[in-house]
Amino acid sequence: MNPSLSFLSLLSLLLLFSSALSFQSDELPFNDDDEFEGVRSSPGSASVAPPVRRRPDLDISSASDSKSLQFSLEHSLGDSEFSVAGTFTARLKSWTHGAQTLTKLRFTRNAISDTEKGLFERLLEDDDFYTIRIPSNVLNPSGKDYVVSSVRARCLPRESLDEHFVIHTDGVNVLSVNYGSAGGCQYPRPLKSPSKWSFSSYTVLKNSEQAPRTPTFVEQIIASENALEEGLQPPEKSFWAKYWMYILPIGFVLVNAMAQAANAAAEDQNQGGQPSQRAPAVRRR
Amino acid sequence: MEARFLLGFLLLLSLSSFAFAIYEDQVGLADWHKRYIGKVKHAVFHTQKTGRRRVVVSTEENAIASLDLRTGDILWRHVLGKNDAVDQIGLSLGKYVLTLSSQGSVLRAWNLPDGQMVWETDLQISNPSNSFLHVLGNVKSGRDSLSLVCNGGSIRAVSSIDGLVVWKKDLSIDGLKLKHVFQPPESDTIYAIGFIDSSLIALYHINAKTGELLKHATQASSVDLSSEISAISSDSLVALDTSRSNLLLIKFMAGTITNHKLPLSDIVQDFSGLAELIPTKSNDIFVVKTPSNVAFIKVKGDNEIELIGKADEAGIVSDSLTLSEEEQAFAVVHHSNNAISLQVRINGREALTEGIKIEDHRGHVKRVFLNNYVRTDKSHGFRALIVMEDESLLLMQQGEVVWSREDGLASISDAVVAELPVEKEGGVSVVEVEHTLLEWLKGHMLKLKGTLMLSTPDDMAAIQAMHLKSTERNKMTRDHNGFRKLIIVLTRSGKVYALHTGDGRIVWAHLLTPLLQSESCPSPSVLTLRNWRVPHRKALQENPSILLVGRCGAGPESHGFLFIVDSYSGKVLETQILDHSIAEVVPLPLADSSEQKLHLVIDDKLNAHLYPRGSDALEVFVREMANMYYYKVENAKEVIKGYAFKKGCSTGSSAYCFGTRELWSVVFPSDSERIVATARRKINEVVHTQAKIMTNQDVMYKYITKNILFVATVSPKAAGGIGSAAPDDAWLVAYLIDTVTGRILHRVTHQGAQGPVHAVVSENWVVYHYFNLRAHRYEMTVIEIYDQSRADNKDVMKLVLGKHNLTAPITSYSRPEIATKSQSYFFTHSVKAIAVTTTARGITSKQILIGTIGDQVLALDKRYLDPRRTANPSQEEKEEGIIPLTDTLPIIPQSYVTHTRQVGDLRGIMSFPANLESTTHVFSYGIDLFYTRIAPSRTYDSLTDEFSYVLLLITVVVLIVAILVTWAMSQKKDLQEKWR
């Protein structure tokens, strides 16, 4: 056995020792089928993410029921009270296994009244906050809990007032709403008024991503160990490929020596049979 | 070739993992370890004629320890679990310590000399309540003796030899609470006395050997009985009624019970208020403590009692100590200013009074335990173990404090770091220099011998000793490398200690709450401490100081107070009782003109009060107020709210008081999520670079913001311990929230996972630890966040032409474009605390400090928690240092920073930077304290202490000599050549 390879396997054993211990029983009790598939929605997707609890035996598309519901957006301009500013419409889908999710979110803004416009202009002047809120429980909006979000008013105006909602839901409950301008917001914030006093709104509904499963490597480890065994027989290489690094310098030396020999012979001829007198280079002072 | 490369790689890897360890002779060079026991609640003396005199104590930190009575050193110590509070301790057979814990359900025996556990018995008590332990003196079945554990209406007799339950008697009467068990001498009958529903007195006769019920009797009581009793003789006991103003004398003779009511006001003149019975053992004497005095009362004949002694001031009374058949001693301790007087009373008469001066930072006496010994003149001598308000422990004997232990340090609640004073110039005498020079030379000669392997074992020992008591590390001045600092800690009792990082000694200690105790501040307690002034630029000459914040009462609405304390001396610079409550203290990254850090104190009505009070502080704050935000996690309501500050507050018109207005809220659905953990970045963390070069020469920009909050929620079913929920009912959601806008930056659900969750946030990543129910293992997940909006800054031309947005100010109101990378790994241990190393400039690679279940601190390289690890890293990735993906994080024994030490009941780990970039201080605390310095990427910027300068010098000299010699030789040769 090649000693370096035995050393290698010893080392790898040493290194893997702690982890190898825990590899022994790693049965995957559930959902073996979709182990690495994961259930994830891309962070930017505005569509419905899959329900929170999913089982492989359930048909996802078998939504048994879906009904429409509405909830309102309220806003506060500066320190004023909250007032209704728009309405969200969504469809509530109920899955056969009991979970419910919101889909197809639509948003309609109420037109801005003159008083609101005046208030908003003051907000812009003071660089104050424009605050919105929506009920956290949309099925039963009478509840007291609202999710609130604010933005500096000066972030909103572009052509019109551009706003961007990201509503984080957990099936039906609204966890939080992220409210802000559609793009970036400069700092320091310059004072500018929109040319058109109306909101253009974008809404995004987001569900939680599923964490991918922790990878387990029982198979890979076994495979790599097998590979290690196989690695004992390195693939045959051609003679040239193996020893070029030795052949090349030797060849170089040989060529050099031959050239020198040829030179010496030529010199001998030039000197014409005289005994060669080789003065050492050091004496040339 | 590949095999060879792999070999080299593995070799490198194994080397890199071993490189973090220290050698055996380096233990104690930079680290120190202190062991404590906590606040003592029970003590049993063991003072036999032969063997070591010791005292066995149990503490409120659930520790059992045996202390040497001569020195106070810990002979052995065990720390029981968090839910395993010790109820009672006792001695049995003269060689075992018995402990009853977990509300009377677990009885253990420990070997007295070495603390080994001999046996443990789970008594399987169905409804744990007030249990008590009674060790029988003279029931001898063979050579065994029995211990009785009474719980409610049941008695268990446990053999002291092996812990087996010999017999079990359930008296099965509703409402019965056994109060006292005793056994007359030379008798096989046990008498058990209890109260039924606080109106009936019950007496049971039980056979001590079999547990058979021989006889029982009940008697109605004339008053409602409280739970306090005092057994005064073999056939009588005294109880207090529920109003605590009447005594009931109960006698039981020959199976009958008589009781007699005695109003306390008849015995003790000017009695008022609530009385308290001090437990006594026998001898017809009992002690009643009233608010104004302590009365010693003797029972004479039938139902007659007599006041035999009185201690006027309300002092602390010890349990009784039986000297002989007739004599019983009590200790009464009074405390005044900075002296305590110990008074020993035998049968109520004053036998001994000693006054002792003690340091005034220890507060009042809380408990006293009395022990006696025989003096050289055959008379009784007494020693007393005293527990003080600051939880320290003193042993008093012959009017002196024999030893004292600072056991308050076992309950650290908060800690900050302060600098030491700058070294003064000059003032070193020539003699001193000569002496140190000689020492220095001697030391280096020794070191040289060590290096050249010429040293004898004696020399080796000398070198080691020299290392350990190097005066450099214990100096009281600042050093260039920033290795010497003060760790200022706050303990549960409100005492503040300054510890030197060199050897862990206490530089100063102060108990500040007694200074404040007054009408307006009835029960002050310190909540937290912060750095108030850090020496910096303009304030280099000013002493640094710290801020202590507390509240005057128990409720959240009680008024707050604050202290400003000098860090060098512990002197109180300023005291202030505030006119508002304290809910939270928010340190701001601002300072006023005298470098005092600005703090906002948020009260329970959500007003913010600015400190320090000063016009320039106000000016600084108002200027920045528009960019200040505050968030609050309301755990009870599962809500997180964010606020901005505005002028004018709801409670007053002070210029320093600001109102808040709600900006955002995140409402977690209470039926599916519970907040279990939050974590955020350290306010003073330094990040070296915001760009990260990937292997393909690509640049990723870290999303670095100080306003990131990590929140973990679990399903309500999984909020309990592991095993309380099925994998299908358990999930854990991790959130990353921007605390300025309330934006959820990232949200991920782990199915089948549950708490406890421990998390740490640093730079642009978060690492959290939880339990995976599906895999039956603990897991750690890392999330790294990258900023995509800057991703197009990779173009060099753009950078050259200045067309990049890297210098543009960042505002949270811009919609962030972030990308996250995440990876989960299994981890073998459960975790008690988690932290990350911090260095001065953030260049050094990071290590995650994990407090393991074994009370050790493990330093895990952040490279193992890299989401970019893949199973087969490419050549470039390997060169970058990416470790091949494994599913489990390795635990390398050499990477324990605590090496062989354990930090009992580990609660917290703190890391703070030294001036040297490579090095960081690590301070971990629990019942024990452990401090060390670690270098996560090794000390690349300094020579180690072991570096032999003499060897270097000698090498240089030898080289110079060699150069000269060869030069001379070549000259000579040249000359010869020329002459040839």
Side-chain angles (χ1 to χ4, degrees):
Chain A
M1 188 148 164
N2 192 337
S4 82
L5 278 170
S6 65
F7 183 45
L8 166 76
S9 44
L10 180 75
L11 261 177
S12 52
L13 256 174
L14 259 176
L15 269 171
L16 294 171
F17 185 68
S18 60
S19 43
L21 274 181
S22 49
F23 288 146
Q24 280 169 4
S25 91
D26 194 75
E27 196 192 355
L28 296 173
F30 305 97
N31 305 5
D32 264 338
D33 303 339
D34 59 348
E35 185 193 345
F36 286 109
E37 178 200 319
V39 192
R40 57 191 307 175
S41 62
S42 69
S45 73
S47 61
V48 196
V52 181
R53 322 288 328 289
R54 186 186 117 168
R55 289 178 195 200
D57 53 329
L58 289 169
D59 188 0
I60 295 300
S61 59
S62 70
S64 62
D65 179 30
S66 84
K67 60 176 183 186
S68 167
L69 80 140
Q70 284 194 338
F71 53 96
S72 58
L73 170 90
E74 292 173 274
H75 69 174
S76 150
L77 298 132
D79 283 334
S80 70
E81 289 290 305
F82 280 96
S83 57
V84 177
T87 318
F88 285 99
T89 351
R91 295 199 79 78
L92 183 72
K93 245 184 187 176
S94 304
W95 306 94
T96 41
H97 54 276
Q100 292 177 311
T101 45
L102 291 175
T103 61
K104 292 184 185 152
L105 190 72
R106 300 259 183 288
F107 178 58
T108 41
R109 258 277 185 188
N110 300 353
I112 301 174
S113 68
D114 281 347
T115 47
E116 280 172 345
K117 187 182 162 190
L119 282 169
F120 205 97
E121 274 171 343
R122 243 187 58 206
L123 284 187
L124 288 176
E125 225 144 83
D126 301 345
D127 192 16
D128 209 344
F129 293 101
Y130 175 68
T131 307
I132 56 130
R133 70 176 189 187
I134 55 176
S136 73
N137 188 345
V138 291
L139 293 183
N140 184 13
S142 59
K144 278 185 196 163
D145 278 344
Y146 288 93
V147 289
V148 184
S149 190
S150 306
V151 70
R152 294 272 179 188
R154 287 188 188 180
C155 287
L156 293 179
R158 282 197 171 57
E159 277 299 295
S160 53
L161 295 165
D162 286 4
E163 58 181 358
H164 189 274
F165 295 88
V166 183
I167 298 176
H168 289 266
T169 67
D170 158 44
V172 284
N173 293 303
V174 178
L175 287 171
S176 128
V177 53
N178 300 345
Y179 180 72
S181 60
C185 180
Q186 265 185 330
Y187 186 86
R189 292 174 280 270
L191 170 63
K192 71 173 179 210
S193 287
S195 47
K196 206 166 70 183
W197 277 96
S198 69
F199 280 97
S200 50
S201 316
Y202 306 90
T203 54
V204 172
L205 201 62
K206 261 193 191 177
N207 259 313
S208 180
E209 273 179 61
Q210 294 286 315
R213 262 211 140 91
T214 311
T216 46
F217 286 132
V218 186
E219 298 82 13
Q220 280 96 321
I221 290 293
I222 291 165
S224 71
E225 270 168 6
N226 287 342
L228 224 62
E229 293 293 314
E230 283 160 13
L232 285 173
Q233 291 97 36
E236 274 304 310
K237 284 181 189 166
S238 69
F239 176 79
W240 179 247
K242 264 183 188 168
Y243 301 114
W244 64 268
M245 67 281 260
Y246 307 113
I247 295 168
L248 219 64
I250 289 171
F252 188 71
V253 166
L254 274 178
V255 167
N256 239 11
M258 273 156 73
Q260 217 158 30
N263 262 355
E267 232 170 75
D268 278 355
Q269 276 178 1
N270 289 346
Q271 303 278 328
Q274 278 184 9
S276 63
Q277 195 187 9
R278 291 196 176 173
V282 277
R283 287 275 180 103
R284 252 183 256 144
R285 282 196 188 185
Chain B
M1 279 308 280
E2 208 175 69
R4 199 174 302 159
F5 176 76
L6 199 61
L7 177 80
F9 180 69
L10 285 172
L11 197 70
L12 202 80
L13 206 67
S14 44
L15 282 179
S16 72
S17 13
F18 293 137
F20 300 123
I22 57 169
Y23 292 103
E24 196 182 348
D25 64 340
Q26 287 174 320
V27 167
L29 278 186
D31 55 320
W32 47 262
H33 180 239
K34 306 263 163 183
R35 298 177 81 205
Y36 297 101
I37 51 174
K39 186 180 183 182
V40 170
K41 58 178 182 185
H42 305 115
V44 176
F45 292 88
H46 183 78
T47 49
Q48 283 177 325
K49 286 194 183 71
T50 55
R52 232 177 205 166
R53 283 162 176 58
R54 61 184 84 216
V55 55
V56 180
V57 294
S58 76
T59 69
E60 292 185 357
E61 312 293 326
N62 299 346
I64 309 158
S66 168
L67 305 177
D68 191 323
L69 259 188
R70 291 271 145 81
T71 59
D73 293 339
I74 299 173
L75 298 173
W76 52 262
R77 188 194 71 186
H78 293 287
V79 183
L80 304 182
K82 212 157 237 132
N83 306 319
D84 202 7
V86 181
D87 302 317
Q88 209 176 341
I89 59 175
L91 291 179
S92 163
L93 295 174
K95 59 178 179 183
Y96 294 153
V97 180
L98 298 184
T99 61
L100 187 68
S101 60
S102 287
Q103 292 169 304
S105 55
V106 183
L107 188 67
R108 294 187 183 92
W110 314 84
N111 194 14
L112 191 55
D114 57 3
Q116 298 286 329
M117 188 162 80
V118 184
W119 49 259
E120 177 186 60
T121 302
D122 185 358
L123 298 169
Q124 287 159 355
I125 284 165
S126 49
N127 53 339
S129 63
N130 287 335
S131 301
F132 65 91
L133 173 75
H134 184 82
V135 182
L136 294 179
N138 48 1
V139 177
K140 300 257 168 25
S141 53
R143 275 163 53 240
D144 198 355
S145 85
L146 294 179
S147 308
L148 301 181
V149 178
C150 302
N151 179 285
S154 67
I155 307 175
R156 283 165 178 78
V158 181
S159 155
S160 294
I161 293 277
D162 51 12
L164 288 177
V165 178
V166 177
W167 54 262
K168 189 171 140 185
K169 183 76 211 165
D170 234 329
L171 297 167
S172 54
I173 292 166
D174 281 347
L176 172 70
K177 283 207 166 61
L178 288 175
K179 287 291 164 196
H180 182 57
V181 176
F182 73 95
Q183 182 187 29
E186 307 304 321
S187 153
D188 270 351
T189 311
I190 298 169
Y191 298 85
I193 300 108
F195 301 153
I196 303 169
D197 294 332
S198 74
S199 57
L200 279 175
I201 305 158
L203 170 71
Y204 300 91
H205 293 214
I206 295 166
N207 185 322
K209 282 192 174 142
T210 61
E212 193 189 340
L213 182 63
L214 301 173
K215 219 195 265 180
H216 84 274
T218 53
Q219 166 80 40
S221 150
S222 50
V223 289
D224 259 7
L225 297 157
S226 75
S227 61
E228 275 178 59
I229 65 150
S230 183
I232 51 168
S233 71
S234 58
D235 58 357
S236 56
L237 54 87
V238 175
L240 267 180
D241 73 345
T242 41
S243 69
R244 289 176 178 274
S245 53
N246 292 306
L247 283 173
L248 196 72
L249 184 64
I250 304 164
K251 293 211 167 213
F252 33 91
M253 294 180 74
T256 58
I257 309 169
T258 56
N259 65 65
H260 190 72
K261 182 183 153 190
L262 303 157
L264 258 179
S265 47
D266 288 4
I267 315 154
V268 186
Q269 278 87 40
D270 56 86
F271 166 77
S272 64
L274 301 174
E276 202 181 317
L277 266 179
I278 306 289
T280 52
K281 288 199 188 93
S282 59
N283 215 15
D284 291 345
I285 296 173
F286 62 94
V287 184
V288 178
K289 195 179 165 197
T290 64
S292 55
N293 54 26
V294 180
F296 296 85
I297 302 165
K298 190 176 172 70
V299 181
K300 289 206 309 194
D302 288 341
N303 306 336
E304 277 206 25
I305 57 175
E306 184 193 16
L307 186 70
I308 53 170
K310 214 161 120 179
D312 276 334
E313 302 157 59
I316 307 292
V317 186
S318 72
D319 286 2
S320 68
L321 175 77
T322 311
L323 300 177
S324 64
E325 286 285 306
E326 294 89 33
E327 285 182 313
Q328 208 169 29
F330 293 90
V332 184
V333 180
H334 300 288
H335 183 271
S336 60
N337 291 332
N338 51 3
I340 49 179
S341 73
L342 171 74
Q343 201 175 61
V344 180
R345 285 169 173 259
I346 300 175
N347 289 357
R349 279 173 288 101
E350 197 174 314
L352 173 82
T353 306
E354 287 168 350
I356 300 162
K357 272 211 173 316
I358 57 158
E359 300 97 321
D360 56 354
H361 60 71
R362 296 197 188 276
H364 295 282
V365 177
K366 285 288 169 193
R367 286 194 188 105
V368 58
F369 302 96
L370 187 67
N371 178 233
N372 69 313
Y373 60 94
V374 183
R375 282 200 193 131
T376 42
D377 60 356
K378 298 273 161 67
S379 63
H380 285 298
F382 294 95
R383 55 169 86 94
L385 199 63
I386 296 174
V387 183
M388 304 297 292
E389 192 178 351
D390 66 345
E391 306 186 356
S392 62
L393 190 66
L394 314 172
L395 185 81
M396 278 175 65
Q397 189 178 326
Q398 292 156 299
E400 268 179 67
V401 175
V402 183
W403 50 259
S404 65
R405 295 179 54 86
E406 289 290 348
D407 279 310
L409 284 171
S411 57
I412 291 178
S413 60
D414 207 350
V416 296
V417 181
E419 293 286 351
L420 281 160
V422 188
E423 194 158 11
K424 288 198 178 63
E425 300 283 322
V428 186
S429 73
V430 183
V431 185
E432 214 170 318
V433 169
E434 270 181 359
H435 177 74
T436 49
L437 194 70
L438 203 68
E439 286 283 299
W440 185 83
L441 268 179
K442 229 164 59 188
H444 275 291
M445 277 315 289
L446 270 176
K447 269 189 199 167
L448 183 68
K449 270 166 105 181
T451 329
L452 300 176
M453 301 192 191
L454 298 170
S455 55
T456 58
D458 283 350
D459 288 345
M460 294 291 269
I463 294 170
Q464 183 70 6
M466 204 168 62
H467 276 320
L468 289 179
K469 66 167 198 281
S470 123
T471 47
E472 260 312 282
R473 61 181 261 207
N474 297 338
K475 267 193 190 165
M476 274 303 295
T477 52
R478 215 174 289 176
D479 66 331
H480 181 69
N481 289 337
F483 289 170
R484 292 196 297 264
K485 285 186 190 244
L486 284 178
I487 305 173
I488 297 175
V489 297
L490 171 71
T491 65
R492 187 182 49 198
S493 60
K495 193 170 179 176
V496 185
Y497 294 86
L499 308 174
H500 194 286
T501 55
D503 53 359
R505 70 174 185 278
I506 296 165
V507 178
W508 52 260
H510 279 289
L511 186 67
L512 298 169
T513 42
L515 299 180
L516 218 70
Q517 211 140 24
S518 64
E519 284 284 309
S520 57
C521 199
S523 59
S525 64
V526 186
L527 296 173
T528 178
L529 79 168
R530 303 266 182 231
N531 279 319
W532 179 254
R533 181 190 275 147
V534 177
H536 186 63
R537 293 201 304 264
K538 284 170 270 177
L540 263 181
Q541 295 313 311
E542 305 259 14
N543 285 6
S545 48
I546 50 162
L547 169 75
L548 284 160
V549 185
R551 55 168 80 114
C552 284
E557 71 293 332
S558 51
H559 283 200
F561 63 82
L562 48 91
F563 280 115
I564 292 160
V565 179
D566 185 274
S567 300
Y568 293 163
S569 63
K571 212 166 69 191
V572 176
L573 303 175
E574 199 182 321
T575 312
Q576 210 173 333
I577 294 184
L578 311 177
D579 54 356
H580 55 83
S581 61
I582 289 182
E584 204 179 335
V585 184
V586 185
L588 302 178
L590 302 172
D592 70 357
S593 58
S594 60
E595 288 295 325
Q596 298 186 84
K597 291 201 169 188
L598 264 53
H599 287 75
L600 280 180
V601 175
I602 314 284
D603 67 13
D604 60 337
K605 294 182 189 69
L606 277 169
N607 291 312
H609 304 264
L610 179 71
Y611 293 91
R613 304 242 145 140
S615 55
D616 53 341
L618 192 64
E619 196 184 311
V620 169
F621 178 73
V622 170
R623 205 189 309 138
E624 290 290 332
M625 192 169 76
N627 293 329
M628 295 276 180
Y629 300 89
Y630 164 71
Y631 74 92
K632 191 176 176 189
V633 182
E634 291 174 29
N635 276 33
K637 287 194 204 149
E638 316 300 336
V639 173
I640 303 177
K641 283 182 176 172
Y643 300 90
F645 299 108
K646 62 178 182 191
K647 279 192 177 158
C649 80
S650 65
T651 49
S653 56
S654 160
Y656 299 98
C657 179
F658 297 89
T660 52
R661 76 178 263 204
E662 187 183 327
L663 286 189
W664 55 266
S665 65
V666 176
V667 181
F668 297 105
S670 54
D671 53 337
S672 65
E673 292 183 38
R674 279 281 140 84
I675 300 173
V676 285
T678 58
R680 61 170 305 169
R681 264 179 73 187
K682 262 191 195 170
I683 193 166
N684 51 3
E685 191 190 54
V686 186
V687 179
H688 175 61
T689 171
Q690 52 175 325
K692 188 165 182 175
I693 317 284
M694 299 287 143
T695 38
N696 51 1
Q697 304 302 313
D698 210 354
V699 180
M700 295 276 274
Y701 288 93
K702 298 174 184 171
Y703 186 76
I704 295 167
T705 165
K706 298 229 161 171
N707 305 316
I708 211 158
L709 174 72
F710 168 82
V711 180
T713 64
V714 297
S715 58
K717 276 186 185 166
I722 293 162
S724 58
D728 279 341
D729 294 332
W731 57 88
L732 184 151
V733 194
Y735 294 90
L736 291 170
I737 296 174
D738 185 304
T739 57
V740 172
T741 58
R743 211 182 278 277
I744 296 180
L745 298 171
H746 184 63
R747 172 177 168 211
V748 64
T749 309
H750 297 267
Q751 288 294 340
Q754 73 165 113
V757 180
H758 297 272
V760 60
V761 185
S762 170
E763 292 199 354
N764 66 326
W765 50 263
V766 54
V767 168
Y768 52 100
H769 177 273
Y770 54 90
F771 190 76
N772 185 335
L773 287 165
R774 294 229 162 103
H776 315 290
R777 279 193 268 185
Y778 285 100
E779 255 179 28
M780 276 172 111
T781 296
V782 56
I783 303 175
E784 289 190 356
I785 320 150
Y786 292 97
D787 192 350
Q788 294 294 82
S789 64
R790 315 183 139 213
D792 50 341
N793 288 323
K794 284 175 289 206
D795 197 341
V796 180
M797 277 318 284
K798 270 191 181 173
L799 286 175
V800 171
L801 297 172
K803 280 186 181 169
H804 56 85
N805 58 358
L806 290 179
T807 48
I810 298 168
T811 165
S812 287
Y813 289 108
S814 286
R815 202 152 60 87
E817 297 165 42
I818 59 161
T820 56
K821 285 172 181 281
S822 173
Q823 182 72 269
S824 302
Y825 301 96
F826 293 123
F827 187 69
T828 319
H829 287 311
S830 68
V831 161
K832 284 187 166 178
I834 189 164
V836 65
T837 56
T838 51
T839 52
R841 280 158 205 89
I843 300 168
T844 308
S845 65
K846 305 242 166 198
Q847 284 185 338
I848 292 159
L849 302 168
I850 299 166
T852 65
I853 191 72
D855 290 329
Q856 294 212 305
V857 179
L858 180 77
L860 184 72
D861 210 303
K862 170 68 176 53
R863 284 190 302 153
Y864 287 109
L865 281 158
D866 189 336
R868 293 190 300 137
R869 283 173 70 181
T870 51
N872 293 306
S874 67
Q875 185 67 31
E876 294 87 46
E877 284 176 329
K878 277 178 192 161
E879 275 165 18
E880 201 202 315
I882 288 185
I883 301 163
L885 182 64
T886 51
D887 58 356
T888 310
L889 293 171
I891 292 172
I892 303 152
Q894 287 88 345
S895 57
Y896 281 107
V897 299
T898 42
H899 42 91
T900 58
R901 311 278 198 210
Q902 279 186 312
V903 188
D905 195 21
L906 183 71
R907 280 197 313 272
I909 305 170
M910 200 172 116
S911 170
F912 48 96
N915 295 354
L916 213 55
E917 168 55 29
S918 67
T919 311
T920 175
H921 302 261
V922 175
F923 176 59
S924 52
Y925 54 88
I927 290 187
D928 297 339
L929 310 181
F930 181 83
Y931 160 88
T932 191
R933 281 196 306 268
I934 58 170
S937 309
R938 316 199 58 187
T939 48
Y940 54 81
D941 52 1
S942 71
L943 296 169
T944 55
D945 292 344
E946 289 84 52
F947 185 80
S948 175
Y949 293 92
V950 171
L951 196 65
L952 180 71
L953 210 71
I954 288 172
T955 315
V956 169
V957 167
V958 165
L959 276 176
I960 289 169
V961 168
I963 287 167
L964 287 176
V965 166
T966 47
W967 180 71
M969 276 165 75
S970 84
Q971 286 280 359
K972 214 168 149 188
K973 209 172 170 191
D974 261 6
L975 202 63
Q976 275 176 354
E977 290 283 333
K978 279 176 182 164
W979 277 106
R980 186 171 287 181

